[in-house]
Amino acid sequence: MRIALTQSEGRLAGLEERLAALGLEVLRVPLVATQSLSADLSPLEDCPWWLFTSAAAVEGVRANGASLGGRLLGAVGQATRRALEEAGGQVGLVAPLENAKSLAEAFLARRPSGPVGWPRGRRAGPLLEERLRAAGYLVRSVVVYETRTLAWPQGLPAPDLVLLASPSAVEALPEAIGRSARCLAIGPATARALAARGLAHTLLPRPSVEAVLEAVRCFRGDPCST
């Protein structure tokens, strides 16, 4: 059985090795790339907390010359946490689950003071901002990077499973691959994008290595919990 992993490098660390241990052939097929943009970060300067929903946002902030030292920083997951620490920041909050909803809930549970800074991608979903605004926080967002889609490599063996982590990746997925393979969706937004294209898919219950492994076991008929 063959699986194509399209998520960004560093996300779901250790997944490739765990899949190989199950006997799967693993293809690394990135379908999106990010590019930092020139941005005015001054609206974020007086925000006690800066929240990051991707490692690309960290790189975008660094590309604009901002220092992360001495700030209160929140990260959506471990890859983003590592990027912040490598940039000299000290991370005070990491979402238990690797998604914006989990980051919003973890932040609100602390009841910190605002306003909140959110360096983000041009196509970032609104969930984090909506949750914080609904709780009474002023959110100042600045676009620091954009996402572009990449072509599926020609001549690549057709996979049985494709792991997709964003609507942008779904957009880049060739129709023939999407019809022939079973798509595994990380996050409701990814699942909605697949449904809009009429592609069969499974929404993972959590954005975790274990959730991917469990879906693989179920797909190939091994004992599983669902």
Side-chain angles (χ1 to χ4, degrees):
M1 182 176 291
R2 186 179 295 124
I3 184 170
L5 304 182
T6 69
Q7 79 277 13
S8 58
E9 196 71 33
R11 189 169 187 182
L12 300 179
L15 175 61
E16 188 168 345
E17 294 78 9
R18 296 284 299 278
L19 289 168
L22 288 179
L24 274 73
E25 179 184 350
V26 181
L27 306 176
R28 281 292 301 154
V29 191
L31 291 181
V32 296
T34 59
Q35 180 176 349
S36 298
L37 300 173
S38 177
D40 176 13
L41 299 179
S42 60
L44 310 183
E45 284 301 322
D46 65 344
C47 296
W49 279 88
W50 287 14
L51 301 183
F52 289 82
T53 48
S54 70
V58 180
E59 182 57 36
V61 166
R62 294 182 68 182
N64 281 281
S67 172
L68 295 172
R71 298 189 182 278
L72 298 171
L73 305 173
V76 75
Q78 295 303 321
T80 305
R81 176 190 62 78
R82 288 192 294 271
L84 285 166
E85 291 176 346
E86 290 169 2
Q90 288 191 327
V91 180
L93 174 67
V94 179
L97 299 176
E98 200 169 314
N99 58 47
K101 178 183 177 183
S102 180
L103 180 58
E105 291 174 349
F107 178 81
L108 293 174
R110 295 194 174 198
R111 300 184 181 276
S113 59
V116 180
W118 181 32
R120 64 178 180 87
R122 191 183 301 281
R123 301 178 66 176
L127 191 149
L128 176 68
E129 185 170 6
E130 289 175 350
R131 289 294 179 96
L132 298 186
R133 289 190 184 279
Y137 283 90
L138 172 64
V139 180
R140 295 177 181 163
S141 69
V142 175
V143 174
V144 296
Y145 74 93
E146 63 182 0
T147 302
R148 59 184 177 87
T149 59
L150 303 175
W152 188 275
Q154 291 188 353
L156 199 68
D160 303 289
L161 294 163
V162 181
L163 181 64
L164 298 146
S166 70
S168 297
V170 175
E171 178 184 324
L173 184 68
E175 186 75 12
I177 299 297
R179 296 293 176 191
S180 64
R182 182 71 179 188
C183 298
L184 305 179
I186 296 178
T190 306
R192 287 193 295 270
L194 286 164
R197 290 188 59 183
L199 299 177
H201 62 278
T202 298
L203 172 60
L204 300 181
R206 301 171 306 283
S208 68
V209 170
E210 290 301 329
V212 176
L213 297 176
E214 185 70 1
V216 169
R217 294 187 189 100
C218 292
F219 180 79
R220 68 181 188 181
D222 294 347
C224 62
S225 61
T226 57

mmCIF file of all heavy atoms in Angstrom, residues 92-142:
data_model
loop_
_atom_site.group_PDB
_atom_site.id
_atom_site.type_symbol
_atom_site.label_atom_id
_atom_site.label_comp_id
_atom_site.label_asym_id
_atom_site.label_seq_id
_atom_site.Cartn_x
_atom_site.Cartn_y
_atom_site.Cartn_z
ATOM 1 N N GLY A 92 5.046 30.461 25.449
ATOM 2 C CA GLY A 92 4.319 30.296 26.699
ATOM 3 C C GLY A 92 3.065 29.470 26.581
ATOM 4 O O GLY A 92 2.443 29.131 27.586
ATOM 5 N N LEU A 93 2.684 29.127 25.343
ATOM 6 C CA LEU A 93 1.432 28.406 25.130
ATOM 7 C C LEU A 93 1.531 27.587 23.851
ATOM 8 O O LEU A 93 1.908 28.116 22.802
ATOM 9 C CB LEU A 93 0.274 29.410 25.015
ATOM 10 C CG LEU A 93 -1.104 28.862 24.652
ATOM 11 C CD1 LEU A 93 -1.643 27.999 25.780
ATOM 12 C CD2 LEU A 93 -2.069 30.008 24.358
ATOM 13 N N VAL A 94 1.223 26.298 23.946
ATOM 14 C CA VAL A 94 1.156 25.428 22.771
ATOM 15 C C VAL A 94 -0.203 24.743 22.779
ATOM 16 O O VAL A 94 -0.610 24.166 23.792
ATOM 17 C CB VAL A 94 2.276 24.367 22.768
ATOM 18 C CG1 VAL A 94 2.163 23.474 21.536
ATOM 19 C CG2 VAL A 94 3.645 25.027 22.814
ATOM 20 N N ALA A 95 -0.914 24.812 21.667
ATOM 21 C CA ALA A 95 -2.234 24.195 21.581
ATOM 22 C C ALA A 95 -2.123 22.685 21.778
ATOM 23 O O ALA A 95 -1.241 22.050 21.195
ATOM 24 C CB ALA A 95 -2.865 24.497 20.227
ATOM 25 N N PRO A 96 -2.998 22.087 22.585
ATOM 26 C CA PRO A 96 -2.969 20.627 22.767
ATOM 27 C C PRO A 96 -3.166 19.872 21.456
ATOM 28 O O PRO A 96 -2.562 18.824 21.242
ATOM 29 C CB PRO A 96 -4.125 20.369 23.736
ATOM 30 C CG PRO A 96 -4.346 21.667 24.435
ATOM 31 C CD PRO A 96 -4.018 22.729 23.429
ATOM 32 N N LEU A 97 -4.032 20.403 20.600
ATOM 33 C CA LEU A 97 -4.239 19.837 19.271
ATOM 34 C C LEU A 97 -3.728 20.833 18.241
ATOM 35 O O LEU A 97 -3.763 22.043 18.462
ATOM 36 C CB LEU A 97 -5.718 19.541 19.026
ATOM 37 C CG LEU A 97 -6.359 18.531 19.978
ATOM 38 C CD1 LEU A 97 -7.845 18.403 19.683
ATOM 39 C CD2 LEU A 97 -5.678 17.170 19.881
ATOM 40 N N GLU A 98 -3.290 20.316 17.113
ATOM 41 C CA GLU A 98 -2.612 21.158 16.132
ATOM 42 C C GLU A 98 -3.612 21.846 15.208
ATOM 43 O O GLU A 98 -3.641 21.625 14.000
ATOM 44 C CB GLU A 98 -1.637 20.291 15.319
ATOM 45 C CG GLU A 98 -0.553 21.081 14.618
ATOM 46 C CD GLU A 98 0.529 20.181 14.059
ATOM 47 O OE1 GLU A 98 0.979 19.280 14.781
ATOM 48 O OE2 GLU A 98 0.914 20.386 12.902
ATOM 49 N N ASN A 99 -4.450 22.730 15.794
ATOM 50 C CA ASN A 99 -5.387 23.486 14.968
ATOM 51 C C ASN A 99 -5.755 24.793 15.655
ATOM 52 O O ASN A 99 -5.494 24.993 16.853
ATOM 53 C CB ASN A 99 -6.642 22.664 14.638
ATOM 54 C CG ASN A 99 -7.377 22.184 15.878
ATOM 55 O OD1 ASN A 99 -7.623 22.943 16.801
ATOM 56 N ND2 ASN A 99 -7.730 20.900 15.899
ATOM 57 N N ALA A 100 -6.361 25.690 14.893
ATOM 58 C CA ALA A 100 -6.663 27.031 15.394
ATOM 59 C C ALA A 100 -7.690 27.002 16.522
ATOM 60 O O ALA A 100 -7.616 27.798 17.464
ATOM 61 C CB ALA A 100 -7.161 27.904 14.245
ATOM 62 N N LYS A 101 -8.655 26.103 16.435
ATOM 63 C CA LYS A 101 -9.662 25.999 17.492
ATOM 64 C C LYS A 101 -9.016 25.663 18.829
ATOM 65 O O LYS A 101 -9.330 26.269 19.861
ATOM 66 C CB LYS A 101 -10.694 24.933 17.126
ATOM 67 C CG LYS A 101 -11.749 24.714 18.197
ATOM 68 C CD LYS A 101 -12.704 23.590 17.809
ATOM 69 C CE LYS A 101 -13.714 23.321 18.917
ATOM 70 N NZ LYS A 101 -14.610 22.189 18.578
ATOM 71 N N SER A 102 -8.100 24.708 18.816
ATOM 72 C CA SER A 102 -7.421 24.311 20.042
ATOM 73 C C SER A 102 -6.572 25.450 20.597
ATOM 74 O O SER A 102 -6.524 25.671 21.813
ATOM 75 C CB SER A 102 -6.548 23.084 19.778
ATOM 76 O OG SER A 102 -5.871 22.676 20.945
ATOM 77 N N LEU A 103 -5.913 26.197 19.710
ATOM 78 C CA LEU A 103 -5.109 27.334 20.159
ATOM 79 C C LEU A 103 -5.995 28.401 20.790
ATOM 80 O O LEU A 103 -5.664 28.959 21.842
ATOM 81 C CB LEU A 103 -4.327 27.916 18.981
ATOM 82 C CG LEU A 103 -3.440 29.128 19.290
ATOM 83 C CD1 LEU A 103 -2.414 28.803 20.367
ATOM 84 C CD2 LEU A 103 -2.746 29.618 18.017
ATOM 85 N N ALA A 104 -7.131 28.683 20.171
ATOM 86 C CA ALA A 104 -8.049 29.679 20.726
ATOM 87 C C ALA A 104 -8.542 29.252 22.105
ATOM 88 O O ALA A 104 -8.572 30.058 23.049
ATOM 89 C CB ALA A 104 -9.225 29.887 19.777
ATOM 90 N N GLU A 105 -8.922 27.990 22.241
ATOM 91 C CA GLU A 105 -9.439 27.509 23.519
ATOM 92 C C GLU A 105 -8.371 27.542 24.607
ATOM 93 O O GLU A 105 -8.648 27.910 25.756
ATOM 94 C CB GLU A 105 -9.992 26.095 23.347
ATOM 95 C CG GLU A 105 -11.264 26.053 22.503
ATOM 96 C CD GLU A 105 -11.724 24.644 22.204
ATOM 97 O OE1 GLU A 105 -10.941 23.696 22.475
ATOM 98 O OE2 GLU A 105 -12.849 24.476 21.703
ATOM 99 N N ALA A 106 -7.147 27.155 24.253
ATOM 100 C CA ALA A 106 -6.059 27.173 25.233
ATOM 101 C C ALA A 106 -5.744 28.598 25.666
ATOM 102 O O ALA A 106 -5.480 28.868 26.849
ATOM 103 C CB ALA A 106 -4.819 26.505 24.642
ATOM 104 N N PHE A 107 -5.786 29.525 24.721
ATOM 105 C CA PHE A 107 -5.530 30.929 25.046
ATOM 106 C C PHE A 107 -6.627 31.482 25.950
ATOM 107 O O PHE A 107 -6.348 32.115 26.978
ATOM 108 C CB PHE A 107 -5.438 31.740 23.756
ATOM 109 C CG PHE A 107 -5.226 33.214 23.974
ATOM 110 C CD1 PHE A 107 -3.964 33.714 24.241
ATOM 111 C CD2 PHE A 107 -6.294 34.094 23.917
ATOM 112 C CE1 PHE A 107 -3.767 35.075 24.453
ATOM 113 C CE2 PHE A 107 -6.111 35.451 24.124
ATOM 114 C CZ PHE A 107 -4.841 35.943 24.395
ATOM 115 N N LEU A 108 -7.875 31.239 25.596
ATOM 116 C CA LEU A 108 -8.991 31.782 26.373
ATOM 117 C C LEU A 108 -9.049 31.192 27.775
ATOM 118 O O LEU A 108 -9.506 31.852 28.715
ATOM 119 C CB LEU A 108 -10.303 31.530 25.637
ATOM 120 C CG LEU A 108 -10.472 32.285 24.313
ATOM 121 C CD1 LEU A 108 -11.744 31.844 23.604
ATOM 122 C CD2 LEU A 108 -10.485 33.789 24.553
ATOM 123 N N ALA A 109 -8.583 29.961 27.934
ATOM 124 C CA ALA A 109 -8.588 29.333 29.254
ATOM 125 C C ALA A 109 -7.685 30.075 30.235
ATOM 126 O O ALA A 109 -7.896 30.017 31.447
ATOM 127 C CB ALA A 109 -8.152 27.874 29.143
ATOM 128 N N ARG A 110 -6.710 30.794 29.714
ATOM 129 C CA ARG A 110 -5.790 31.543 30.579
ATOM 130 C C ARG A 110 -6.322 32.927 30.944
ATOM 131 O O ARG A 110 -5.780 33.580 31.825
ATOM 132 C CB ARG A 110 -4.438 31.698 29.883
ATOM 133 C CG ARG A 110 -3.708 30.387 29.667
ATOM 134 C CD ARG A 110 -2.273 30.635 29.309
ATOM 135 N NE ARG A 110 -1.513 29.404 29.239
ATOM 136 C CZ ARG A 110 -0.187 29.345 29.276
ATOM 137 N NH1 ARG A 110 0.518 30.463 29.380
ATOM 138 N NH2 ARG A 110 0.431 28.193 29.205
ATOM 139 N N ARG A 111 -7.306 33.404 30.206
ATOM 140 C CA ARG A 111 -7.887 34.733 30.415
ATOM 141 C C ARG A 111 -6.817 35.834 30.460
ATOM 142 O O ARG A 111 -6.789 36.661 31.382
ATOM 143 C CB ARG A 111 -8.715 34.764 31.699
ATOM 144 C CG ARG A 111 -9.864 33.778 31.711
ATOM 145 C CD ARG A 111 -10.707 33.913 32.958
ATOM 146 N NE ARG A 111 -11.792 32.958 32.984
ATOM 147 C CZ ARG A 111 -12.969 33.135 32.394
ATOM 148 N NH1 ARG A 111 -13.197 34.252 31.734
ATOM 149 N NH2 ARG A 111 -13.903 32.216 32.470
ATOM 150 N N PRO A 112 -5.926 35.872 29.479
ATOM 151 C CA PRO A 112 -4.885 36.912 29.487
ATOM 152 C C PRO A 112 -5.449 38.256 29.030
ATOM 153 O O PRO A 112 -6.564 38.343 28.507
ATOM 154 C CB PRO A 112 -3.868 36.384 28.478
ATOM 155 C CG PRO A 112 -4.700 35.603 27.516
ATOM 156 C CD PRO A 112 -5.828 35.000 28.313
ATOM 157 N N SER A 113 -4.658 39.295 29.222
ATOM 158 C CA SER A 113 -5.073 40.618 28.767
ATOM 159 C C SER A 113 -4.791 40.759 27.278
ATOM 160 O O SER A 113 -3.944 40.071 26.722
ATOM 161 C CB SER A 113 -4.335 41.707 29.545
ATOM 162 O OG SER A 113 -2.933 41.577 29.372
ATOM 163 N N GLY A 114 -5.508 41.652 26.633
ATOM 164 C CA GLY A 114 -5.348 41.891 25.200
ATOM 165 C C GLY A 114 -4.777 43.264 24.953
ATOM 166 O O GLY A 114 -4.404 43.951 25.890
ATOM 167 N N PRO A 115 -4.720 43.692 23.690
ATOM 168 C CA PRO A 115 -5.149 43.019 22.463
ATOM 169 C C PRO A 115 -4.211 41.869 22.069
ATOM 170 O O PRO A 115 -3.165 41.683 22.685
ATOM 171 C CB PRO A 115 -5.117 44.139 21.419
ATOM 172 C CG PRO A 115 -4.040 45.053 21.914
ATOM 173 C CD PRO A 115 -4.155 45.034 23.415
ATOM 174 N N VAL A 116 -4.616 41.134 21.034
ATOM 175 C CA VAL A 116 -3.869 39.960 20.596
ATOM 176 C C VAL A 116 -3.340 40.193 19.187
ATOM 177 O O VAL A 116 -4.085 40.617 18.297
ATOM 178 C CB VAL A 116 -4.766 38.705 20.603
ATOM 179 C CG1 VAL A 116 -3.969 37.479 20.148
ATOM 180 C CG2 VAL A 116 -5.361 38.477 21.984
ATOM 181 N N GLY A 117 -2.056 39.901 18.986
ATOM 182 C CA GLY A 117 -1.457 40.004 17.664
ATOM 183 C C GLY A 117 -1.499 38.661 16.950
ATOM 184 O O GLY A 117 -1.240 37.618 17.556
ATOM 185 N N TRP A 118 -1.839 38.708 15.677
ATOM 186 C CA TRP A 118 -1.928 37.470 14.886
ATOM 187 C C TRP A 118 -1.247 37.659 13.535
ATOM 188 O O TRP A 118 -1.875 38.081 12.570
ATOM 189 C CB TRP A 118 -3.392 37.071 14.695
ATOM 190 C CG TRP A 118 -3.582 35.806 13.918
ATOM 191 C CD1 TRP A 118 -2.770 34.711 13.889
ATOM 192 C CD2 TRP A 118 -4.673 35.501 13.033
ATOM 193 N NE1 TRP A 118 -3.271 33.746 13.059
ATOM 194 C CE2 TRP A 118 -4.446 34.205 12.523
ATOM 195 C CE3 TRP A 118 -5.810 36.199 12.643
ATOM 196 C CZ2 TRP A 118 -5.314 33.595 11.624
ATOM 197 C CZ3 TRP A 118 -6.677 35.591 11.751
ATOM 198 C CH2 TRP A 118 -6.433 34.306 11.254
ATOM 199 N N PRO A 119 0.046 37.355 13.426
ATOM 200 C CA PRO A 119 0.699 37.340 12.109
ATOM 201 C C PRO A 119 0.199 36.110 11.353
ATOM 202 O O PRO A 119 0.262 34.995 11.878
ATOM 203 C CB PRO A 119 2.190 37.218 12.445
ATOM 204 C CG PRO A 119 2.289 37.388 13.937
ATOM 205 C CD PRO A 119 0.973 36.996 14.502
ATOM 206 N N ARG A 120 -0.255 36.289 10.120
ATOM 207 C CA ARG A 120 -0.955 35.182 9.466
ATOM 208 C C ARG A 120 -0.667 35.129 7.970
ATOM 209 O O ARG A 120 -0.066 36.040 7.393
ATOM 210 C CB ARG A 120 -2.464 35.322 9.678
ATOM 211 C CG ARG A 120 -3.064 36.578 9.037
ATOM 212 C CD ARG A 120 -4.564 36.625 9.234
ATOM 213 N NE ARG A 120 -5.178 37.799 8.630
ATOM 214 C CZ ARG A 120 -5.589 37.853 7.363
ATOM 215 N NH1 ARG A 120 -5.436 36.805 6.561
ATOM 216 N NH2 ARG A 120 -6.141 38.951 6.878
ATOM 217 N N GLY A 121 -1.150 34.065 7.356
ATOM 218 C CA GLY A 121 -1.079 33.931 5.915
ATOM 219 C C GLY A 121 -2.256 34.614 5.245
ATOM 220 O O GLY A 121 -3.305 34.828 5.869
ATOM 221 N N ARG A 122 -2.096 34.917 3.968
ATOM 222 C CA ARG A 122 -3.162 35.609 3.239
ATOM 223 C C ARG A 122 -4.451 34.790 3.197
ATOM 224 O O ARG A 122 -5.553 35.335 3.195
ATOM 225 C CB ARG A 122 -2.693 35.915 1.810
ATOM 226 C CG ARG A 122 -3.619 36.856 1.058
ATOM 227 C CD ARG A 122 -3.169 37.074 -0.377
ATOM 228 N NE ARG A 122 -1.836 37.629 -0.483
ATOM 229 C CZ ARG A 122 -1.542 38.924 -0.315
ATOM 230 N NH1 ARG A 122 -2.496 39.785 0.002
ATOM 231 N NH2 ARG A 122 -0.298 39.348 -0.444
ATOM 232 N N ARG A 123 -4.317 33.464 3.181
ATOM 233 C CA ARG A 123 -5.490 32.602 3.062
ATOM 234 C C ARG A 123 -5.850 31.921 4.375
ATOM 235 O O ARG A 123 -6.582 30.931 4.386
ATOM 236 C CB ARG A 123 -5.244 31.551 1.972
ATOM 237 C CG ARG A 123 -4.963 32.157 0.610
ATOM 238 C CD ARG A 123 -4.679 31.104 -0.442
ATOM 239 N NE ARG A 123 -5.839 30.276 -0.709
ATOM 240 C CZ ARG A 123 -5.879 29.330 -1.645
ATOM 241 N NH1 ARG A 123 -4.809 29.105 -2.395
ATOM 242 N NH2 ARG A 123 -6.966 28.614 -1.831
ATOM 243 N N ALA A 124 -5.371 32.443 5.481
ATOM 244 C CA ALA A 124 -5.667 31.832 6.778
ATOM 245 C C ALA A 124 -7.165 31.860 7.058
ATOM 246 O O ALA A 124 -7.850 32.843 6.774
ATOM 247 C CB ALA A 124 -4.914 32.560 7.889
ATOM 248 N N GLY A 125 -7.668 30.778 7.631
ATOM 249 C CA GLY A 125 -9.076 30.723 7.994
ATOM 250 C C GLY A 125 -9.386 31.672 9.144
ATOM 251 O O GLY A 125 -8.504 32.039 9.925
ATOM 252 N N PRO A 126 -10.642 32.061 9.291
ATOM 253 C CA PRO A 126 -11.008 33.081 10.280
ATOM 254 C C PRO A 126 -11.291 32.550 11.677
ATOM 255 O O PRO A 126 -11.593 33.335 12.577
ATOM 256 C CB PRO A 126 -12.286 33.671 9.676
ATOM 257 C CG PRO A 126 -12.929 32.504 8.989
ATOM 258 C CD PRO A 126 -11.780 31.683 8.432
ATOM 259 N N LEU A 127 -11.200 31.237 11.898
ATOM 260 C CA LEU A 127 -11.697 30.661 13.144
ATOM 261 C C LEU A 127 -11.030 31.249 14.381
ATOM 262 O O LEU A 127 -11.710 31.599 15.352
ATOM 263 C CB LEU A 127 -11.525 29.139 13.119
ATOM 264 C CG LEU A 127 -12.223 28.359 14.241
ATOM 265 C CD1 LEU A 127 -12.637 26.982 13.752
ATOM 266 C CD2 LEU A 127 -11.335 28.207 15.467
ATOM 267 N N LEU A 128 -9.710 31.363 14.381
ATOM 268 C CA LEU A 128 -9.009 31.888 15.560
ATOM 269 C C LEU A 128 -9.497 33.290 15.890
ATOM 270 O O LEU A 128 -9.858 33.590 17.041
ATOM 271 C CB LEU A 128 -7.500 31.892 15.316
ATOM 272 C CG LEU A 128 -6.663 32.508 16.439
ATOM 273 C CD1 LEU A 128 -6.718 31.646 17.689
ATOM 274 C CD2 LEU A 128 -5.209 32.701 16.000
ATOM 275 N N GLU A 129 -9.523 34.151 14.893
ATOM 276 C CA GLU A 129 -9.946 35.530 15.123
ATOM 277 C C GLU A 129 -11.399 35.591 15.585
ATOM 278 O O GLU A 129 -11.740 36.355 16.500
ATOM 279 C CB GLU A 129 -9.756 36.349 13.850
ATOM 280 C CG GLU A 129 -10.057 37.828 14.027
ATOM 281 C CD GLU A 129 -9.625 38.659 12.838
ATOM 282 O OE1 GLU A 129 -9.200 38.069 11.823
ATOM 283 O OE2 GLU A 129 -9.702 39.895 12.930
ATOM 284 N N GLU A 130 -12.254 34.788 14.988
ATOM 285 C CA GLU A 130 -13.668 34.791 15.366
ATOM 286 C C GLU A 130 -13.856 34.362 16.814
ATOM 287 O O GLU A 130 -14.646 34.969 17.554
ATOM 288 C CB GLU A 130 -14.450 33.868 14.433
ATOM 289 C CG GLU A 130 -14.603 34.412 13.018
ATOM 290 C CD GLU A 130 -15.272 33.421 12.090
ATOM 291 O OE1 GLU A 130 -15.447 32.241 12.480
ATOM 292 O OE2 GLU A 130 -15.606 33.815 10.960
ATOM 293 N N ARG A 131 -13.142 33.317 17.226
ATOM 294 C CA ARG A 131 -13.275 32.836 18.605
ATOM 295 C C ARG A 131 -12.815 33.895 19.608
ATOM 296 O O ARG A 131 -13.450 34.110 20.645
ATOM 297 C CB ARG A 131 -12.468 31.550 18.790
ATOM 298 C CG ARG A 131 -13.041 30.334 18.089
ATOM 299 C CD ARG A 131 -14.382 29.931 18.690
ATOM 300 N NE ARG A 131 -14.970 28.789 18.032
ATOM 301 C CZ ARG A 131 -14.847 27.531 18.453
ATOM 302 N NH1 ARG A 131 -14.153 27.262 19.543
ATOM 303 N NH2 ARG A 131 -15.418 26.549 17.798
ATOM 304 N N LEU A 132 -11.699 34.543 19.309
ATOM 305 C CA LEU A 132 -11.176 35.540 20.242
ATOM 306 C C LEU A 132 -12.062 36.783 20.280
ATOM 307 O O LEU A 132 -12.322 37.344 21.355
ATOM 308 C CB LEU A 132 -9.746 35.913 19.859
ATOM 309 C CG LEU A 132 -8.713 34.778 19.909
ATOM 310 C CD1 LEU A 132 -7.315 35.321 19.657
ATOM 311 C CD2 LEU A 132 -8.759 34.040 21.232
ATOM 312 N N ARG A 133 -12.540 37.217 19.131
ATOM 313 C CA ARG A 133 -13.426 38.389 19.103
ATOM 314 C C ARG A 133 -14.734 38.102 19.838
ATOM 315 O O ARG A 133 -15.268 38.968 20.534
ATOM 316 C CB ARG A 133 -13.704 38.808 17.660
ATOM 317 C CG ARG A 133 -12.503 39.440 16.957
ATOM 318 C CD ARG A 133 -12.896 40.046 15.622
ATOM 319 N NE ARG A 133 -11.754 40.557 14.900
ATOM 320 C CZ ARG A 133 -11.182 41.736 15.127
ATOM 321 N NH1 ARG A 133 -11.663 42.527 16.084
ATOM 322 N NH2 ARG A 133 -10.143 42.132 14.413
ATOM 323 N N ALA A 134 -15.242 36.890 19.689
ATOM 324 C CA ALA A 134 -16.479 36.524 20.381
ATOM 325 C C ALA A 134 -16.304 36.560 21.894
ATOM 326 O O ALA A 134 -17.265 36.788 22.638
ATOM 327 C CB ALA A 134 -16.932 35.136 19.937
ATOM 328 N N ALA A 135 -15.061 36.346 22.345
ATOM 329 C CA ALA A 135 -14.763 36.392 23.782
ATOM 330 C C ALA A 135 -14.408 37.800 24.251
ATOM 331 O O ALA A 135 -14.057 37.987 25.419
ATOM 332 C CB ALA A 135 -13.622 35.432 24.100
ATOM 333 N N GLY A 136 -14.481 38.772 23.345
ATOM 334 C CA GLY A 136 -14.257 40.160 23.727
ATOM 335 C C GLY A 136 -12.867 40.698 23.466
ATOM 336 O O GLY A 136 -12.558 41.828 23.866
ATOM 337 N N TYR A 137 -12.024 39.936 22.778
ATOM 338 C CA TYR A 137 -10.661 40.389 22.514
ATOM 339 C C TYR A 137 -10.579 41.190 21.213
ATOM 340 O O TYR A 137 -11.253 40.870 20.228
ATOM 341 C CB TYR A 137 -9.704 39.197 22.414
ATOM 342 C CG TYR A 137 -9.330 38.608 23.749
ATOM 343 C CD1 TYR A 137 -10.095 37.586 24.304
ATOM 344 C CD2 TYR A 137 -8.233 39.076 24.458
ATOM 345 C CE1 TYR A 137 -9.771 37.039 25.535
ATOM 346 C CE2 TYR A 137 -7.898 38.532 25.689
ATOM 347 C CZ TYR A 137 -8.670 37.519 26.225
ATOM 348 O OH TYR A 137 -8.351 36.982 27.448
ATOM 349 N N LEU A 138 -9.749 42.206 21.239
ATOM 350 C CA LEU A 138 -9.374 42.907 20.021
ATOM 351 C C LEU A 138 -8.234 42.131 19.376
ATOM 352 O O LEU A 138 -7.214 41.866 20.023
ATOM 353 C CB LEU A 138 -8.921 44.330 20.341
ATOM 354 C CG LEU A 138 -8.322 45.132 19.174
ATOM 355 C CD1 LEU A 138 -9.368 45.362 18.090
ATOM 356 C CD2 LEU A 138 -7.757 46.459 19.675
ATOM 357 N N VAL A 139 -8.413 41.732 18.127
ATOM 358 C CA VAL A 139 -7.400 40.962 17.407
ATOM 359 C C VAL A 139 -6.842 41.825 16.284
ATOM 360 O O VAL A 139 -7.593 42.340 15.449
ATOM 361 C CB VAL A 139 -7.984 39.663 16.821
ATOM 362 C CG1 VAL A 139 -6.905 38.882 16.069
ATOM 363 C CG2 VAL A 139 -8.585 38.805 17.930
ATOM 364 N N ARG A 140 -5.533 41.977 16.277
ATOM 365 C CA ARG A 140 -4.866 42.726 15.212
ATOM 366 C C ARG A 140 -4.087 41.732 14.351
ATOM 367 O O ARG A 140 -3.128 41.127 14.819
ATOM 368 C CB ARG A 140 -3.930 43.772 15.804
ATOM 369 C CG ARG A 140 -4.671 44.859 16.583
ATOM 370 C CD ARG A 140 -3.725 45.839 17.216
ATOM 371 N NE ARG A 140 -4.446 46.858 17.970
ATOM 372 C CZ ARG A 140 -3.884 47.649 18.879
ATOM 373 N NH1 ARG A 140 -2.584 47.539 19.132
ATOM 374 N NH2 ARG A 140 -4.608 48.542 19.517
ATOM 375 N N SER A 141 -4.529 41.569 13.135
ATOM 376 C CA SER A 141 -3.887 40.607 12.242
ATOM 377 C C SER A 141 -3.110 41.330 11.151
ATOM 378 O O SER A 141 -3.532 42.385 10.667
ATOM 379 C CB SER A 141 -4.927 39.673 11.618
ATOM 380 O OG SER A 141 -5.755 40.365 10.716
ATOM 381 N N VAL A 142 -1.976 40.747 10.800
ATOM 382 C CA VAL A 142 -1.135 41.268 9.725
ATOM 383 C C VAL A 142 -0.736 40.096 8.837
ATOM 384 O O VAL A 142 -0.266 39.067 9.332
ATOM 385 C CB VAL A 142 0.130 41.964 10.278
ATOM 386 C CG1 VAL A 142 1.043 42.390 9.132
ATOM 387 C CG2 VAL A 142 -0.244 43.166 11.135
#
